[in-house]
Each structure stands twice: as C-alpha cells, then as structure tokens.
Amino acid sequence: MSYYIFGLQRSGTNFLQTLIEQNFKKSSSNSQKTSWKHSIEDPLKYNKDIPTVVIHKNPYTWVESISMRNRVDWQKTQTKYPSQEKTTPEFTVGQQEMNLTNLMLTYRDFHNNWLNREDITSYIVIKYEDLLVPEKRIETLEKISETFGWTKPLEDWIVPTQGSVSQSRDYTAEREKYYIEGIPKTLTRDQIHEINRVMEIWPIHGMGYTIL
C-alpha cells in the first residue's frame, strides 16, 4: 500500500520521502494535479483511507529557509496569501523581499488544517528536526512502522547522505546544526513578534518548538 505525504515547501518532504522509500519500499500517492503534497487544504482527490504522513518545521527557521529560495515557485503555487504583496520594510524577509505576514498566514492555515486530524484513518505527524538527530530519527521510523504496520526489509535503517536528496544539494553539517537548534539568524525582534502574532503562540508550542 502507498501513502500520502503533506508539508509546506522547505519542510523536509523530500528527505522524508527518501527515508520512507529506502527503508520501507513505499511510493508516494501524491500527484501534482490531484493531491499536491504542499496543499494548504485537503486536495480534491485526497483519499483519507490511505496512510498519511504530515511533516512540519520550526516556524522561525522555516521563514528564513523560504526567504532564501527562489520566490517564483512559491508565487506560482501558494497564491492564497500573495508573498509579493506590498508591506512595510520591517515585515519583508530575505533578498526576495517576501511578505512575512502572508508567509506566516500560509504556514498557519496549513498547520491548522493538517494537525490534530481525527478523520484520517491512519495518520502520523512528524517534526522535521527529529529526522536530523540519529536517536530521534530511529524513533520516528519505528513509529511510522508501528502506525502503518510497515516492516523494513533490511536489518539496519538507511539514511541518505547530506546533499543527496533532491533540491537539498547545498545541505551541510552547519545548516543541520542550525535547524536542530532552531535559532533564526536574520529575523529581527519585530519579525519574530509578527510570527508569534500570526501564529497566536499556542500552535508553536503545540508542535514542540520553543516560543522566541
């Protein structure tokens, strides 16, 4: 049986897919047209009876990660809250000058929809940062195995090497440390307050992150 995976861009969906494919020999059921893995809402063709994995990343480092990428992909696909909508300079992030408030509205709506679901038959939520720590990564893979009844064909868990996953060629040990620590490098205090305001604080803590 295959599975669905859902997570915003730059949340670790490619890395998690690679882990699942290599360790459980399972293929994603997502389709760009009918069940896009970055969908904020439930895709029209989404089947809730198929095992579903949702992944999330620390909101502060996620914003920095998004703001460093080419904005064209985000502009074309995440249109509910336009990332290029004009805003005050203090709420513009990255060289791409993306609208911080609208980025966080997208982040908020995605997670309000996909977390704490009781209507999905078989479902698991994964914290991206747990995949970076060896002990927690093994715990996560074992939880996936137990939740979906998947058995691994090999004795040892397989972990992709740094930079080997699609769209993650520039991944380094330094960046891994940054994600694990969860401390933003470029956000100002005002920008952090804006993230907290949009997120209404509690979801950040509920996802297992420290509120800055």
Side-chain angles (χ1 to χ4, degrees), residues 2 20 28 37 40 55 81-82 84 96 113 119 122 130 132 137 144 152 170 178 186:
S2 55
I20 290 174
S28 167
K37 68 179 180 180
I40 298 177
I55 186 169
Y81 301 107
Q84 294 309 116
Q96 304 293 328
N113 180 60
D119 59 330
S122 189
D130 285 347
L132 307 180
R137 181 170 55 239
I144 291 172
K152 59 176 183 175
D170 57 350
Y178 155 76
T186 63

Side-chain angles (χ1 to χ4, degrees), residues 5-9 30-32 34-44 78 109-111 113-114:
I5 183 170
F6 294 103
L8 286 177
Q9 290 101 316
N30 295 88
S31 165
Q32 185 76 15
T34 62
S35 51
W36 187 44
K37 68 179 180 180
H38 303 309
S39 296
I40 298 177
E41 310 293 344
D42 288 18
L44 187 62
Q78 297 291 5
D109 284 8
F110 178 92
H111 294 91
N113 180 60
W114 288 108

